Amino acid sequence: MLVDLNMVGLWKPAWLEALDTQKFFVACSLHENAKKNEKNICCLDCCTSICPHCVPSHRFHRLVQVRRYVYHDVVRLEDIEKLIDSSNVQSYTINSSKVVFLKKRPQSRQFKGSGNICTSCDRSLQEPYIHCSLGCKVDYILRQKKDLSPYLRTCETLQLSPDFFIPHDADDEANETTHSTVMEGEEPMGSSDSENLNAPCTEFVRKKRSGLYACARSASRVSDEDMSTNMSRRKGIPHRSPLC
């Protein structure tokens, strides 16, 4: 006999089903020729995975960033807690942020030791957790209590973290690189020689592979003879060591 899952309460919201079934970290079909076009965001309102180039068209929707940890999809615990109760799900720390796995991760080898066992996939866990992923907890609730609604939470707005990188145009990146190489408070090089010689403080900015460094010399300590000698050395023929 066929039973309607909605009648007995065995249902999942569409956004939760999207987190479980959508494929992430694959190329976006809408931005095939763009760089960094991997789908690492889930739009909860559209129930689909998107790439960073799609964010402007979904800027008013609820968005969750999906990350990769040990070849599995994870989300920040802070974000998922706004949507569903994630207690008893083992969390991990990545770049000072706590994350939880989205899908089941069956353990191939039998665990021989002390600790808890996941309620769905028999994976070994630390105390006091009993679920290794969000998907395991959802399956456990639907299997045991038949109702998921008490664990769901109302969340009207959910945006990406401020440090999330959104690709810019190549011209914008070039401008940012140009400005970043100029030190603040320094005048641009390439001005007339008379201005540089008459300035009370002469500054030389040199670029090396290791970075930029500035060295300042006081004009009062450098005489005119030393300055002319240095200029003639730069323009003269380079001295070579004799052949042995």
Side-chain angles (χ1 to χ4, degrees):
M1 182 178 61
L2 298 178
V3 180
D4 188 1
L5 297 180
N6 292 328
M7 294 179 60
V8 297
L10 295 178
W11 63 274
K12 289 192 296 185
W15 61 265
L16 188 57
E17 186 70 21
L19 284 175
D20 187 36
T21 58
Q22 285 290 317
K23 291 184 178 180
F24 298 96
F25 297 96
V26 294
C28 178
S29 58
L30 300 178
H31 303 90
E32 294 181 354
N33 299 327
K35 296 181 179 179
K36 299 182 179 180
N37 62 345
E38 287 186 338
K39 295 183 177 181
N40 59 349
I41 306 168
C42 183
C43 180
L44 303 182
D45 294 333
C46 299
C47 300
T48 184
S49 57
I50 61 176
C51 73
H53 298 277
C54 301
V55 171
S57 59
H58 297 262
R59 60 183 179 274
F60 298 113
H61 297 172
R62 295 176 299 171
L63 304 177
V64 174
Q65 181 184 0
V66 180
R67 306 181 184 185
R68 266 291 169 95
Y69 182 62
V70 198
Y71 305 103
H72 292 279
D73 300 335
V74 298
V75 293
R76 290 199 311 170
L77 181 62
E78 179 183 357
D79 295 337
I80 203 65
E81 278 283 355
K82 299 177 182 178
L83 302 167
I84 187 174
D85 181 15
S86 303
S87 58
N88 297 327
V89 179
Q90 182 167 337
S91 60
Y92 300 84
T93 302
I94 303 178
N95 296 333
S96 69
S97 298
K98 288 188 176 182
V99 298
V100 293
F101 286 95
L102 285 177
K103 304 175 183 179
K104 294 182 179 181
R105 298 177 299 126
Q107 189 167 349
S108 57
R109 295 179 300 176
Q110 186 177 2
F111 175 69
K112 298 180 181 180
S114 60
N116 292 343
I117 302 297
C118 181
T119 55
S120 299
C121 62
D122 297 333
R123 175 173 285 273
S124 59
L125 303 173
Q126 300 175 357
E127 297 284 351
Y129 305 107
I130 59 176
H131 309 291
C132 72
S133 65
L134 183 64
C136 291
K137 179 173 183 176
V138 171
D139 291 347
Y140 174 78
I141 294 173
L142 295 178
R143 187 173 63 251
Q144 298 293 331
K145 302 182 180 181
K146 313 297 184 182
D147 188 9
L148 192 62
S149 57
Y151 299 88
L152 299 178
R153 296 173 178 173
T154 304
C155 180
E156 299 295 337
T157 59
L158 186 60
Q159 298 297 326
L160 300 173
S161 58
D163 59 344
F164 181 78
F165 175 76
I166 298 178
H168 300 283
D169 295 334
D171 295 337
D172 296 341
E173 291 181 358
N175 294 334
E176 292 178 2
T177 306
T178 303
H179 291 296
S180 62
T181 56
V182 179
M183 299 177 61
E184 295 183 1
E186 298 289 341
E187 295 184 359
M189 301 296 293
S191 58
S192 61
D193 295 337
S194 59
E195 293 180 357
N196 292 336
L197 293 176
N198 296 331
C201 181
T202 306
E203 295 179 356
F204 302 90
V205 179
R206 301 176 182 176
K207 180 182 292 186
K208 282 190 174 183
R209 293 183 179 180
S210 59
L212 294 174
Y213 71 93
C215 61
R217 293 183 179 178
S218 175
S220 59
R221 298 181 181 177
V222 182
S223 61
D224 295 338
E225 286 185 11
D226 296 338
M227 183 62 69
S228 60
T229 303
N230 292 335
M231 296 297 293
S232 63
R233 287 180 180 176
R234 294 179 183 177
K235 296 181 180 179
I237 301 174
H239 299 280
R240 297 181 180 178
S241 60
L243 298 177
C244 297

